[in-house]
Amino acid sequence: NLRGSDAMKIKYVTIIVDDMDKSIEFYTEVLGFEVDEVFDLPGGKIVLLSNGDETGFELIQNSTFKTGFYSVGLDVEDIHKEMENFRKNNVEIAMEPTRISVGIMARVIDPNGVNIVLIQHGT
């Protein structure tokens, strides 16, 4: 199913980590990514890594989440159109479109329980 120019693009893969320093070392030294941004949160930290491509990693250290793969983040052109498609296909919706600092975000669950985060930037 080719979607044309409005195709979703994988923006990031989110991984929950136990040791942020070891994780940063792995993704930078071994895989060649660079730290883009660091966000300190109450009880945690988020580090965004990239390699100059459109897709990167989001590492989160937070005692709330279980360590391991957490989600895939997708850039979308029209989040409401995408949500309509998910509803039509009976996809589990974990979070309705919500305004965030960079645009609008929503989250759905794939058939394997994987979080798919959709972000429409700049709206």
Side-chain angles (χ1 to χ4, degrees), residues 28-49:
T28 58
E29 302 295 321
V30 178
L31 296 185
F33 282 75
E34 294 181 0
V35 173
D36 261 357
E37 294 183 75
V38 177
F39 302 96
D40 288 312
L41 306 171
K45 178 181 262 192
I46 297 175
V47 175
L48 302 179
L49 302 130

Side-chain angles (χ1 to χ4, degrees), residues 31-78:
L31 296 185
F33 282 75
E34 294 181 0
V35 173
D36 261 357
E37 294 183 75
V38 177
F39 302 96
D40 288 312
L41 306 171
K45 178 181 262 192
I46 297 175
V47 175
L48 302 179
L49 302 130
S50 72
N51 64 357
D53 197 5
E54 288 186 36
T55 307
F57 287 99
E58 176 183 46
L59 306 179
I60 299 177
Q61 185 172 21
N62 183 325
S63 58
T64 307
F65 298 116
K66 183 178 155 192
T67 302
F69 173 74
Y70 180 74
S71 69
V72 173
L74 302 175
D75 257 349
V76 299
E77 295 289 321
D78 184 342

Side-chain angles (χ1 to χ4, degrees), residues 80-96:
H80 299 291
K81 179 175 147 191
E82 300 299 345
M83 295 304 286
E84 190 177 305
N85 183 49
F86 287 128
R87 283 187 193 88
K88 186 168 57 179
N89 287 286
N90 297 314
V91 174
E92 180 182 347
I93 297 171
M95 185 177 90
E96 290 290 342

